[in-house]
Amino acid sequence: RMINGWRAANQAAKDRQLEAELKRAEAEEANRAKSEFLAVMTHELRTPLNAVIGYAEIIQEDLDADGRKDLSEDAGRITGSARHLLGLIDQILNLSSIDAGQESVALRDVDVRKLLEDAVNAVKDEAREAGNRISLRVSAEAEHAFSDGNKLTVAVAALVSNAVKFTAQGLIAVTAELDRGDADDMLVIAVSDTGQGIAREHLSEIFKPFAQLEQGATRTKGGMGLGLSIAQRMAHTLGGEVSVVSELGSGSTFTLRTPLRVKAQTAIRAAA
């Protein structure tokens, strides 16, 4: 009788384990299907939106040539809004591609200085409108890396854009340095700002998808809270990470650390 009871209990435990594994597999498949759907949809949205941007720019140029400044400004608002929407779509595409397991790693020589200059230039108008100054410093040892340039670009752009978004009448400092480690030399890119900072209790939330922290009761900043999550995932794909040091009211420093020379096996293992 005791043996039968033990067998029944053991079988019940196996059945529960099997049921849990099936539910986990179903959840993973549902999440993968969702991500694949988002990847397809965002890709399809980009084509007509690029056409809207292109035609709006042509109209704006024609209006400028005719001296119609009032209408030219309206066309510029169309372009600006469309570019903002395109940026949001690109973020969803990046995130859904990662979740769907469609991320690949293309390692090559990367001009780190140019990559950072491009990231800074992309937000300089927005920074100027907010009264911000941006400084850039790249050490000679960190000017070149062997990595995935596209992933580094996405990660850095997200960090710089985030700093500009949450800083007003302040300074954003972007630096790149080499940290010589025992195992690998690390490329360390830091983005510091004098903005509003982040409360300590919220630091564990900021890398979650769709997390957008506000100090007030309503959302006042644009975006969907995907940038930091994507930056972290890109860093992980390259065998690195993004960390943050911040204090409410005293600004923030986000630090991206990846191997200066990413090894193919490291990137493959991190992406799996």
Side-chain angles (χ1 to χ4, degrees), residues 176-251:
E177 298 178 340
L178 176 67
D179 181 13
R180 295 196 179 279
D182 295 334
D184 294 307
D185 290 342
M186 302 295 290
L187 173 65
V188 183
I189 298 174
V191 180
S192 300
D193 65 67
T194 59
Q196 64 190 50
I198 305 166
R200 183 175 301 176
E201 62 268 24
H202 293 318
L203 288 176
S204 62
E205 304 173 21
I206 59 175
F207 293 111
K208 296 178 181 178
F210 303 104
Q212 189 191 75
L213 304 178
E214 294 291 344
Q215 303 307 321
T218 59
R219 288 167 59 105
T220 59
K221 305 296 182 182
M224 299 178 293
L226 286 176
L228 294 179
S229 174
I230 291 172
Q232 184 68 280
R233 294 189 187 206
M234 293 296 177
H236 286 170
T237 302
L238 298 175
E241 67 173 352
V242 178
S243 59
V244 58
V245 175
S246 184
E247 184 176 341
L248 191 61
S250 300

Side-chain angles (χ1 to χ4, degrees), residues 32 35-36 95-104 271-272:
R32 186 176 298 276
S35 298
E36 290 177 352
L95 188 63
S96 59
S97 295
I98 296 170
D99 286 343
Q102 297 174 349
E103 277 294 293
S104 59

Side-chain angles (χ1 to χ4, degrees), residues 148-166:
D148 186 315
N150 290 332
K151 287 178 174 51
L152 269 182
T153 296
V154 170
V156 170
L159 298 182
V160 175
S161 177
N162 183 76
V164 171
K165 185 183 299 182
F166 290 97

Side-chain angles (χ1 to χ4, degrees), residues 48-260:
L49 192 54
N50 277 320
V52 170
I53 293 172
Y55 281 113
E57 289 177 342
I58 292 173
I59 292 172
Q60 186 175 14
E61 291 174 1
D62 290 344
L63 291 170
D64 285 337
D66 292 340
R68 301 296 304 273
K69 184 178 179 181
D70 53 339
L71 295 179
S72 173
E73 290 177 351
D74 289 338
R77 294 188 184 96
I78 294 174
T79 304
S81 296
R83 288 192 181 282
H84 176 69
L85 181 56
L86 184 62
L88 298 180
I89 290 172
D90 283 341
Q91 285 189 337
I92 295 175
L93 182 60
N94 282 326
L95 188 63
S96 59
S97 295
I98 296 170
D99 286 343
Q102 297 174 349
E103 277 294 293
S104 59
V105 180
L107 300 178
R108 57 180 174 81
D109 291 327
V110 177
D111 186 333
V112 176
R113 178 178 292 278
K114 184 177 187 309
L115 185 152
L116 295 179
E117 288 175 348
D118 289 345
V120 168
N121 288 334
V123 297
K124 64 180 181 181
D125 290 341
E126 182 181 354
R128 188 184 302 113
E129 290 175 2
N132 293 320
R133 294 180 295 113
I134 304 180
S135 67
L136 173 62
R137 180 175 59 81
V138 181
S139 72
E141 295 177 315
E143 288 190 343
H144 297 280
F146 185 73
S147 186
D148 186 315
N150 290 332
K151 287 178 174 51
L152 269 182
T153 296
V154 170
V156 170
L159 298 182
V160 175
S161 177
N162 183 76
V164 171
K165 185 183 299 182
F166 290 97
T167 305
Q169 303 297 322
L171 172 67
I172 293 103
V174 182
T175 63
E177 298 178 340
L178 176 67
D179 181 13
R180 295 196 179 279
D182 295 334
D184 294 307
D185 290 342
M186 302 295 290
L187 173 65
V188 183
I189 298 174
V191 180
S192 300
D193 65 67
T194 59
Q196 64 190 50
I198 305 166
R200 183 175 301 176
E201 62 268 24
H202 293 318
L203 288 176
S204 62
E205 304 173 21
I206 59 175
F207 293 111
K208 296 178 181 178
F210 303 104
Q212 189 191 75
L213 304 178
E214 294 291 344
Q215 303 307 321
T218 59
R219 288 167 59 105
T220 59
K221 305 296 182 182
M224 299 178 293
L226 286 176
L228 294 179
S229 174
I230 291 172
Q232 184 68 280
R233 294 189 187 206
M234 293 296 177
H236 286 170
T237 302
L238 298 175
E241 67 173 352
V242 178
S243 59
V244 58
V245 175
S246 184
E247 184 176 341
L248 191 61
S250 300
S252 306
T253 296
F254 286 85
T255 303
L256 167 67
R257 291 176 59 89
T258 68
L260 184 69

